[in-house]
Amino acid sequence: MPKPSDTKALPAFRTAGLTKTYGEGKAAVHALRGVDLEVPTGEVVVLLGPSGSGKSTLLNILGGLDRATSGDAYFTDHELTAMADRELTLYRRDHVGFVFQFYNLMPSLTAEENVELVTEIAHNPMDPGKALDLVGLGERRHHFPAQLSGGEQQRVAIARAIAKQPDVLFCDEPTGALDSTTGRAVLKVLADVNEALGTTVLMVTHAAATAAMAHRVIHFADGAIRDVVRNAERLPPEEIVW
Amino acid sequence: MRLLSPLDRKLLRDLWRIKGQAGAIAVVIALGVMTLVMMSGIVNTLEETRDAYYDRYRLAEVFAPVERAPERTLKRLAEIPGISAVESRVTGMALVEIPGELIPIRARAVSLPEHGPARLNDIFLAEGRMPNPDRAEEVLLLKGFADARGLKPGARLSATMNGARRGFHVTGLAQSPEFLYTTAPGELIPDDARFAVLWMSRASLAAAYDMEGAFNEALIGLERGASEAAVLDAVDRVLDPLGGLGAYGLADQQSNFFISEEIRGARSTSVSVPPIFLGVSAFLLYIVINRIVQAEREEIGLLKAFGYTDWEVSAHYLKLMLVIAIGGAILGSGLGIVSGRAMAGVYQEYYKFPFLVFELEPRSFVTGLAISVISACAGGFGVLRGVFRLAPAVAMRPPAPADYSSTGQAAGLSRRLLDQPGRMVLRRVQRQPGRMFGAAIGIATGMALSVGMIGVQVGFNQTIDLSFSVLDRSDAQITFTHAMSDKVIYELARLPGVEEVEPIRYVSVLLRHDFHDHRGAINGQLSEPRLARAMDAKQRPLPLPKEGIVLSTTLARVLDASPGDTITAEIREGRRPVLYLPVVAVADSLLGSPAYMNIDALNGALNEPGRVSGAYLRIDEEAAESVFRAVRDMPGVAGIGLKEDMRDAIQSIMDSGMGAMRFIMLAVAGIVTFGIVYNAARIAYAERARDLASLRVIGFSRAEAAFVLLGELGLITLIALPIGALMGYAMAALVSAAFSTEVYSIPLMFDAHTVGTAALAVLVSAALSGWLVKRDLDRIELVSALKTRE
Ligand SMILES: Nc1ncnc2c1ncn2[C@@H]1O[C@H](COP(=O)(O)OP(=O)(O)O)[C@@H](O)[C@H]1O
Ligand SMILES: [Mg+2]
């Protein structure tokens, strides 16, 4: 996929009438009920909402992991909802980084090798060691996931996501399994990446306080957007308390 | 530059993590490949060695026995088109007495060429020296017989030839491609110890048998591409007026027939049994790979989320399988070479080849590797399906608890009957019946393999028991030098200690049906024999009516004839009648390929009423020695065969010849069965390690946690047993057919004993596997088991 022609001018994501239904008939679950949304390029956007409101579903669709039932979703000028599986794979490979709530490191690979797993297939990756340095784990590069704490594993996961220098970073409750101090360290890394590389960050959380570090906060409820708030003033992650 | 990509390093570490399982599969594959490489290597080696032996010692391609032909007849034979070499010789039957042996031993005396090496049927002097042509008492003795009887060069023995008793001096021991196997006339089973071959000077032999200036056997070599059938016809035309006994080709030569049947049997075993092993390992690999992919769902989702394509991810798992499969194939090839070489050496000794042409079958390596790789790829399809189906979003979800809701209702009853761990076992089986069934099928396959191999062991024993206890109820068998008046039967019956006598008349015959023919003998017996009987498959004695012929199963198969068909019997003795005989029944004879007729009908056809060629005796054990003494001194007695000796002879052929492969196959089947069961246990363990650790964390004891795991394994094993018994039936049929030859047939044995033993093997394997994984379970480190996904 060619790089978007004028990335700055276009929003990173745009959706119109996006719906997602799991199952059929009586058992159907309407995870998304028509989502219209714009995510400007280079911003940190936080998705807030109660559990089960469809945040992960939206993230998965925008990240090319899942397909919408109806509606349109665009990444810059590319229509995600029209892409074949193969194109979605390339989209993920070339433009997207993921950070998951449960880290999802390969248990049989060291920290560095987990990062290499991604740099291996990326176009313009940074050095895996440098990515680990960025998250403050350069020293631990040869450790296996089982030898790392939860916070450290999550930082490896972030290093892995940013090492390919993606256009967008999707984080699904990246601090969900962490205590607040460790969580703050993780959030700081995300803010730094956004600052330094201009990466668009789309983050799901249900820790409302996290919203203070975002450019934009989207409140989600029952499969739809309730409102969008622009933060006039952003708080550095170090000062967030929850 | 990194040498290995991170995915390849994951592969290596995964392989290390599942080393127990991977090793079990690789060994199963290796054993399959090993049997293939070994068996085909042995078959190849034996064939090459036999051919080289025949070639180097110029074994004749046509044998033409005749009553008495003047030496000049040889010229006329040499003129027949297609014949490249002829040689005449004198042979005769003799009775050899050796010290300490009550019963004289039948022997064949064969003339040595008068000057120079033999043009055909040369011999290999293994020990001692050649006899001096001028010394009539010097002989060479067949090494196989000498070894069996502990005779050495220098030994002295006496022999009766044509009625005259003479003393001999053994100057050397010889081996010959003509006498790899020796069988006394009228007997079915070759026995080194009970038939001797003597080589001596032509002059002395000719004197003994009245053959001066004449010969009674012509040996013939064929030109390349000559038609054997045409030569046989032409030779018969020349020799018939002189009392030709029917020229025959190498295929009908007794020793060659036996060795070729052994090789043919080995070849059929080698093409049917190893593929079973390989098939089983392919199946095993397939199951295991499928389950590894199941277990790695999240990793697969993750890789896909990162942008690895379906093909890249599939290739990763395919590589894992290929490493196991190819590793197994290479290991198997190595084992096959080593064991093939060792076994070939054993067989060289057994078949008494003076040298060995060890030659592996290159195709077997290719086949072994190909089947291993194909089975890995077949497993690969499972992987592809799994990988392509899996949505990358799986990786985004927390490790979701498996959905057990559908098992709720059925569990209502079990609540009252089972404790908590018991319910866990039951629910899991209920929830994933497909997976449990797959594992059960895997174990059942292993059991089937054992059923088949144990069945074959029982079948071999059955062949012997049935042949020597049920079919033949005599104690000894007497052979006469020529067909005698049946008065001799009454004489025998009068001997004190003889309880029952039964006459037999055999004639050599060429049987034909459609395009099939078979050179052998017809046994003429009483219409309702009591000692040596023909029986149908249900072990009911078959009467021999005045009309028609009863064929053994093997013969019926060779001739492609069944009851109702009419076969042609060209009798090669006496007035040489050609009979057209309806097949009246097929007898389930397990040794050789006999044909049975009513003795009066046979004698009638020959126009020789009241003739017998031998007799079966039932003897009072107490009086046995005096009976043998009396029989030995009766005129016209060529030899006495004790049933016990024959039984031992066939046992030794089965246990030392190609039949011995069954022991190796049994061992392989046992290991494979264990491998499969162990593997099932390892999978169950790998899939549940995390759950089991959780159980331990919330306060379950080691024993309770182990019960959840082992209970599952036990349940699968129990389900597998009846399935394995059923599959075992088919396996036993296949394997017993593969081991059957024209020398002996192996009946399909599928009885409680066979199935029970196989079931026991499976249960023992399960118990041992259970113990091995339980050890791992006890050692499990709770924290790390919970922290990382297995
Ligand atoms: N694979 C699935 N099958 C069925 N329902 C699902 C699936 N994934 C999510 N859901 C349902 O969709 C709704 C939204 O889920 P999700 O997007 O995960 O919510 P959130 O991330 O906001 O907690 C929930 O009701 C959830 O139960
Ligand atoms: Mg969620």
Side-chain angles (χ1 to χ4, degrees), chain B residues 66-147:
Chain B
V66 59
E67 269 162 28
R68 190 179 198 282
E71 191 63 28
R72 61 175 185 284
T73 321
L74 211 55
K75 265 225 185 80
R76 287 175 54 207
L77 291 177
E79 281 159 10
I80 293 172
I83 289 186
S84 65
V86 279
E87 174 99 296
S88 69
R89 68 180 184 184
V90 174
T91 81
M93 296 311 294
L95 281 178
V96 175
E97 282 158 50
I98 55 173
E101 194 63 34
L102 181 66
I103 306 167
I105 293 151
R106 278 170 282 179
R108 187 157 174 211
V110 179
S111 64
L112 288 166
E114 276 164 313
H115 15 251
R119 249 169 305 173
L120 292 168
N121 289 22
D122 201 2
I123 53 172
F124 167 70
L125 185 66
E127 276 175 57
R129 61 166 175 86
M130 293 296 284
N132 183 334
D134 300 328
R135 309 192 67 141
E137 78 282 6
E138 291 191 352
V139 295
L140 290 180
L141 195 56
L142 182 65
K143 185 171 187 299
F145 174 77
D147 288 347

Side-chain angles (χ1 to χ4, degrees), chain A residues 22 29 31 50-58 173, chain B residues 397:
Chain A
Y22 291 107
V29 176
S51 174
S53 56
K55 307 179 298 289
S56 296
T57 304
L58 178 63
E173 305 195 23
Chain B
R397 284 184 211 118

Side-chain angles (χ1 to χ4, degrees), chain B residues 573-617:
Chain B
E573 286 177 23
R575 60 186 199 100
R576 303 178 164 235
V578 175
L579 313 178
Y580 301 92
L581 301 165
V583 177
V584 291
V586 171
D588 217 27
S589 314
L590 299 172
L591 291 186
S593 38
Y596 307 88
M597 260 180 89
N598 184 293
I599 187 167
D600 296 329
L602 183 60
N603 280 333
L606 282 157
N607 229 343
E608 295 175 356
R611 290 305 174 102
V612 298
S613 353
Y616 287 95
L617 300 186

Side-chain angles (χ1 to χ4, degrees), chain B residues 444-618:
Chain B
T445 314
M447 170 162 161
L449 212 53
S450 289
V451 169
M453 291 307 160
I454 295 169
V456 144
Q457 320 290 320
V458 181
F460 271 83
N461 295 340
Q462 172 76 358
T463 296
I464 290 186
D465 285 346
L466 204 62
S467 302
F468 292 102
S469 308
V470 180
L471 297 177
D472 182 353
R473 297 191 290 192
S474 72
D475 298 312
Q477 191 185 336
I478 295 176
T479 320
F480 303 122
T481 50
H482 56 279
M484 314 231 293
S485 154
D486 56 9
K487 276 198 225 103
V488 69
I489 298 297
Y490 302 107
E491 278 174 49
L492 284 170
R494 273 203 299 273
L495 291 176
V498 171
E499 293 174 340
E500 215 168 340
V501 187
E502 196 169 278
I504 180 165
R505 171 85 206 258
Y506 20 72
V507 294
S508 31
V509 69
L510 183 66
L511 298 172
R512 293 184 196 276
H513 180 244
D514 289 344
F515 305 107
H516 313 281
D517 56 34
H518 174 80
R519 175 178 292 271
I522 296 180
N523 298 351
Q525 295 186 251
L526 297 181
S527 59
E528 282 181 20
R530 295 180 31 82
L531 295 183
R533 303 179 296 171
M535 288 190 165
D536 68 8
K538 296 205 173 87
Q539 289 179 28
R540 288 174 307 211
L542 288 167
L544 301 174
K546 294 270 183 228
E547 298 277 312
I549 189 166
V550 172
L551 302 180
S552 57
T553 327
T554 319
L555 189 51
R557 199 183 56 236
V558 169
L559 292 175
D560 191 21
S562 42
D565 293 345
T566 297
I567 62 167
T568 311
E570 297 173 18
I571 293 181
R572 322 289 312 198
E573 286 177 23
R575 60 186 199 100
R576 303 178 164 235
V578 175
L579 313 178
Y580 301 92
L581 301 165
V583 177
V584 291
V586 171
D588 217 27
S589 314
L590 299 172
L591 291 186
S593 38
Y596 307 88
M597 260 180 89
N598 184 293
I599 187 167
D600 296 329
L602 183 60
N603 280 333
L606 282 157
N607 229 343
E608 295 175 356
R611 290 305 174 102
V612 298
S613 353
Y616 287 95
L617 300 186
R618 203 155 59 74

Side-chain angles (χ1 to χ4, degrees), chain B residues 33-62:
Chain B
V33 174
M34 180 197 86
T35 51
L36 184 72
V37 169
M38 177 188 73
M39 287 292 299
S40 56
I42 289 172
V43 170
N44 235 22
T45 297
L46 290 182
E47 245 167 24
E48 292 292 322
T49 305
R50 177 196 60 188
D51 293 348
Y53 191 20
Y54 285 4
D55 199 49
R56 249 184 249 182
Y57 290 85
R58 300 180 295 283
L59 185 65
E61 282 145 299
V62 168

Side-chain angles (χ1 to χ4, degrees), chain B residues 199-258:
Chain B
W199 284 270
M200 52 197 288
S201 86
R202 170 111 177 222
S204 127
L205 206 54
Y209 289 95
D210 253 346
M211 290 283 163
E212 276 113 344
F215 63 91
N216 62 5
E217 186 171 34
L219 304 173
I220 294 165
L222 297 180
E223 275 168 7
R224 200 177 281 273
S227 152
E228 186 186 289
V231 169
L232 289 179
D233 278 348
V235 169
D236 279 345
R237 271 198 302 276
V238 172
L239 294 182
D240 268 355
L242 302 163
L245 299 170
Y248 56 91
L250 189 55
D252 288 315
Q253 199 262 345
Q254 212 172 32
S255 164
N256 178 62
F257 168 75
F258 274 102

Side-chain angles (χ1 to χ4, degrees), chain A residues 64-133:
Chain A
L65 294 178
D66 210 346
R67 292 183 167 283
T69 308
S70 70
D72 304 321
Y74 286 89
F75 165 65
T76 63
D77 51 358
H78 302 293
E79 189 179 356
L80 293 174
T81 37
M83 284 185 187
D85 274 349
R86 202 168 40 82
E87 293 169 293
L88 280 178
T89 300
L90 286 178
Y91 162 64
R92 294 196 300 269
R93 184 188 279 231
D94 297 338
H95 301 283
V96 179
F98 288 103
V99 178
F100 307 95
Q101 181 179 357
F102 295 95
Y103 336 136
N104 295 58
L105 300 179
M106 294 273 173
S108 56
L109 295 181
T110 62
E112 186 175 40
E113 288 163 353
N114 261 288
V115 177
E116 281 173 349
L117 199 58
V118 168
T119 57
E120 173 91 355
I121 54 168
H123 273 313
N124 178 31
M126 60 172 92
D127 178 63
K130 195 181 148 214
L132 284 170
D133 285 339

